[in-house]
Amino acid sequence: MNSIHNFASLLDQAASHATEVAQFDPKGELSLEEAYEIQMTSIAHRLGRGEQRVGVKMGFTSRAKMQQMGLSDVIWGRLTDAMQIEEGTSISFKNYVHPRCEPELAFILKKPLIGNVTAAQALASVEAIAPALEIIDSRYENFKFSLPEVIADNASSSGFVIGPWASAKTDFSNLGLTLNIDGHVKHVGSTAALLGHPLRSLVAAARLAAAAGEPLQAGWIVMAGGATAAEWIYPNQYVSVEMQQLGSAGFYVTE
Ligand code: OOG
Ligand code: MG
């Protein structure tokens, strides 16, 4: 119990000061329950400082991401308002340890979505969808971790950028997308990479969040997971996602 609180404080401090920590469970001996308890406790520190909970992020929902990180279980993390970066603005590189960016699809919900739901129920809860970027910044040295470690570290969540919201009536099952740096295409993919259909990521989010006692709420954002491998980002770059039909979203990186 004590170690849960210690690991949670350690990760919260590392995230808020952009410092790295050594892996504390490299062999993955903690249970997933313990790992999520560390995550919850660590995010409670942020909420205690006045941050507001705004949704959920999903992780390892595409093969590209599973392969890049060598893990294959779908994981999730908690989003707060402080993690949101306004589209078209800049982030300061010094606030990050070793950031990477990946293209995602974002959902915003118009009603709660709780527990075991069908894809049709999931779709009916969606207010709008948007092209999005996630900035992941593992707090572990060398961006290396075991499954319990990355879960404890809020699934590497660090920031997210949301582009223009579009009607959920748009067919988003297989939209082409690119991750671009300074206008150069770094990765090409499709929303179909997300568990075969991005709604499956939302269905999983509804189940996992409810099981944790924090069911998806109206107004919450759900980030469906990286559709391609993530790319390292550096100062003086403009990073963007371009998505078929939905448009683009981007941000600048300064020193
Ligand atoms: C873990 C987070 C995974 C995604 O979209 O798959 C994730 C990581 O890759 O550091 O955010
Ligand atoms: Mg992600």
Side-chain angles (χ1 to χ4, degrees), residues 6-25 38-40 42-43 46 49 51 57 69 75-80 82-83 85 93-100 102 134-146 148-160 232:
N6 292 343
F7 292 144
S9 299
L10 182 75
L11 289 166
D12 174 58
Q13 286 300 306
S16 54
H17 297 116
T19 49
E20 4 178 71
V21 300
Q23 287 184 253
F24 51 74
D25 183 30
I38 296 170
Q39 180 192 121
M40 185 185 69
S42 161
I43 296 299
R46 299 179 71 125
R49 293 193 294 268
E51 292 181 30
K57 65 154 282 180
M69 304 317 291
I75 62 174
W76 66 282
R78 293 161 164 94
L79 298 178
T80 74
M83 298 172 188
I85 295 146
F93 190 75
K94 64 175 186 313
N95 294 335
Y96 297 80
V97 182
H98 37 211
R100 285 173 156 173
E102 56 200 16
E134 185 180 27
I135 301 169
I136 48 174
D137 193 26
S138 174
R139 267 54 67 166
Y140 301 105
E141 287 164 6
N142 304 314
F143 221 112
K144 278 215 174 110
F145 41 69
S146 64
E149 285 174 330
V150 65
I151 290 169
D153 186 27
N154 202 26
S156 306
S157 158
S158 180
F160 63 97
W232 298 108

Side-chain angles (χ1 to χ4, degrees), residues 32 36 56-63 66 71-77 147 150-151 155 193-195 200-208 223-225:
L32 300 190
Y36 278 109
V56 161
K57 65 154 282 180
M58 300 300 287
F60 303 140
T61 50
S62 72
R63 196 169 301 273
M66 291 179 199
L71 294 171
S72 56
D73 293 70
V74 169
I75 62 174
W76 66 282
L147 183 64
V150 65
I151 290 169
L194 302 167
L195 299 173
R200 294 204 182 115
S201 180
L202 182 56
V203 166
R207 178 172 48 80
L208 295 166
M223 296 283 289

Side-chain angles (χ1 to χ4, degrees), residues 171-187:
D171 178 0
F172 55 85
S173 60
N174 184 14
L175 297 175
L177 58 90
T178 56
L179 176 69
N180 312 308
I181 295 193
D182 295 329
H184 298 285
V185 174
K186 293 289 176 182
H187 293 284

